[in-house]
Amino acid sequence: MKKPVSLLLAATLMTGAGVSSFSAVASAAPATQDIQIQQNEKLDIRKFDQFIAVENDRFIIADEAALEKAATNEEVVLVKTALNQANGILDESPGAVLDGEKTFTVPAKQEITQDKTGEFASLAASGEGIRDIKFHWWGVEIYLTKTDVNAIVKGGISGGTTYLGSIFGGLSGAVAGAVAGAILSEYAGAVIVPLKITYTYLSPMLPSISPQ
């Protein structure tokens, strides 16, 4: 199961500005402040974030001359490739709305739970974790509850992809499929916990996964 998903994700990510051979390990993202592109090559998110802006619901380079002055030619191409991927994902996610200066989200369908006393509480308060999604110029962060993760594991790649689309209306099928594949690869048969999944555009590997 894991191999076909990896190939599908690689094929999806390799479309764009013509950059080839991204053999990399997926980054844990903004906490690490970089995306690993090749074994000894990284794109510094913090360094280039200052040159990125949002205009007409699309990621753009705010000052291309300044970017070209601060970056190598290869880095400029990588940044443009990431923006192409980011905008392509937004095009495939019509439910996405701006949520902050440079972050988009798809409003998730939230649920409530009922405890033993009959009181209702949010998923986060009940220990289920939070449900959220954040689209950045460098990638996507998805937060899934234990219920979500369990549904994806039980549903398999097809059912998991459909489930993600149902809770995040309009979510790109490419992102949903890659996330479902990553969860199945790491958590099938494992103890279910709420997860944070980071999908980076320049790393054609399964997204990175960590507990919330």
Side-chain angles (χ1 to χ4, degrees):
M1 184 73 70
K2 183 173 180 180
K3 183 176 180 180
V5 174
S6 298
L7 292 175
L8 174 61
L9 178 58
T12 302
L13 298 181
M14 293 298 287
T15 60
V19 178
S20 62
S21 187
F22 292 137
S23 56
V25 176
S27 165
T32 65
Q33 298 298 343
D34 58 39
I35 300 172
Q36 188 167 340
I37 309 302
Q38 296 177 353
Q39 185 174 359
N40 297 309
E41 181 182 351
K42 296 181 180 181
L43 184 68
D44 190 329
I45 294 172
R46 181 172 49 191
K47 176 181 177 181
F48 297 110
D49 187 67
Q50 62 183 307
F51 301 107
I52 309 302
V54 171
E55 185 176 281
N56 297 323
D57 291 332
R58 295 185 72 79
F59 293 106
I60 64 167
I61 298 172
D63 188 338
E64 191 158 345
L67 172 62
E68 291 175 351
K69 185 176 180 179
T72 66
N73 290 338
E74 287 186 351
E75 287 173 331
V76 171
V77 171
L78 290 172
V79 169
K80 289 182 177 180
T81 300
L83 293 187
N84 285 340
Q85 298 290 347
N87 289 325
I89 293 297
L90 288 178
D91 289 342
E92 296 175 11
S93 304
V97 295
L98 191 62
D99 180 34
E101 183 182 0
K102 287 182 280 190
T103 303
F104 290 83
T105 189
V106 173
K109 295 179 181 178
Q110 299 296 339
E111 299 175 7
I112 55 177
T113 59
Q114 189 173 18
D115 64 23
K116 293 180 180 179
T117 67
E119 294 295 325
F120 287 93
S122 68
L123 287 171
S126 70
E128 276 281 284
I130 63 171
R131 178 186 292 163
D132 198 8
I133 186 169
K134 302 294 182 185
F135 295 89
H136 307 281
W137 67 268
W138 48 263
V140 181
E141 293 176 301
I142 297 177
Y143 297 82
L144 297 174
T145 67
K146 287 193 291 186
T147 297
D148 297 333
V149 175
N150 190 51
I152 292 167
V153 169
K154 288 183 176 180
I157 186 69
S158 178
T161 300
T162 301
Y163 179 84
L164 285 167
S166 74
I167 62 173
F168 296 113
L171 178 65
S172 159
V175 175
V179 168
I183 291 171
L184 288 167
S185 138
E186 296 286 337
Y187 277 87
V191 175
I192 301 299
V193 297
L195 298 176
K196 173 187 175 183
I197 300 95
T198 303
Y199 171 108
T200 55
Y201 301 131
L202 298 179
S203 295
M205 304 293 286
L206 289 175
S208 63
I209 300 178
S210 61
Q212 288 186 18

